Amino acid sequence: MVFQVLTGWLDNSPRRVFALLSAVCIGLLAFGLYLQHVVGLEPCPMCIVQRYALILVALIAGLTGASSKKGMHLGGSVLLLATAGFGAFVAARQSWLQWYPPEVVSCGRDFYGMIETFPLQRAIPMIFKGGGDCSKIDWTFLGGSIANWSFLCFGAVVLLSLTLIWRLVQRR
């Protein structure tokens, strides 16, 4: 019964599915910014890459949901699959680093150290690389780190994209 309701919603309202996915991604990004600016967690380079992937997922889902053409829905679903797959890969790699930390940490350096050590034209690109330790677990929820939860979210988007592609191809 639940499966029929979900597939009916995917078949009859794919634009709402894309809009909801975009809104959820924006909420996740807002939570990440909350953890960074209010709680004080410093994102590592892999966290920054996952944020970019999440931004792309939100943009692709939003733009795809704005169109009523099934071809756009199919193309957008394929792009979502690729982007979320990349995000899941980075999150899985970070989870691996957290479970099996390397001997030497080489993820980045702190913000002030970059500004003091390097000229501005070299420091600005380094700022966007993040500065935290990728193998360090700063925050957990129900036993999972941010990277673990990020992997689950990207994995859910991958499954949703595969389901949308399958349903859209079946209806053609």
Side-chain angles (χ1 to χ4, degrees):
M1 170 104 173
V2 173
F3 182 73
Q4 291 174 339
V5 170
L6 290 175
T7 56
W9 203 47
L10 291 174
D11 289 341
N12 299 326
S13 307
R15 294 177 70 185
R16 289 183 185 170
V17 171
F18 288 119
L20 180 64
L21 176 60
S22 183
V24 167
C25 289
I26 291 169
L28 289 172
L29 287 165
F31 184 67
L33 290 173
Y34 166 79
L35 288 176
Q36 179 180 355
H37 295 290
V38 176
V39 177
L41 301 181
E42 187 174 356
C44 71
M46 291 180 139
C47 296
I48 299 294
V49 170
Q50 290 170 58
R51 280 188 190 176
Y52 286 139
L54 200 57
I55 289 169
L56 283 175
V57 169
L59 285 173
I60 293 167
L63 292 173
T64 304
S67 174
S68 61
K69 297 180 181 178
K70 289 182 181 155
M72 278 291 289
H73 293 171
L74 185 60
S77 297
V78 170
L79 284 174
L80 282 174
L81 177 65
T83 306
F86 173 73
F89 172 77
V90 174
R93 176 70 179 140
Q94 185 177 3
S95 295
W96 176 267
L97 287 173
Q98 289 174 348
W99 292 329
Y100 306 103
E103 301 271 334
V104 179
V105 176
S106 63
C107 266
R109 55 189 319 146
D110 68 336
F111 176 77
Y112 295 109
M114 287 186 282
I115 296 293
E116 291 174 358
T117 308
F118 298 103
L120 192 58
Q121 66 266 21
R122 192 165 167 214
I124 289 176
M126 294 171 77
I127 292 168
F128 292 106
K129 293 180 181 175
D133 176 8
C134 295
S135 62
K136 186 177 177 187
I137 299 174
D138 292 327
W139 182 88
T140 60
F141 178 70
L142 297 177
S145 69
I146 296 171
N148 302 146
W149 286 105
S150 180
F151 176 77
L152 290 174
C153 291
F154 280 121
V157 174
V158 165
L159 291 175
L160 177 66
S161 299
L162 286 171
T163 306
L164 280 167
I165 291 168
W166 178 61
R167 299 300 288 186
L168 289 167
V169 168
Q170 231 181 14
R171 289 181 54 193
R172 283 191 159 191

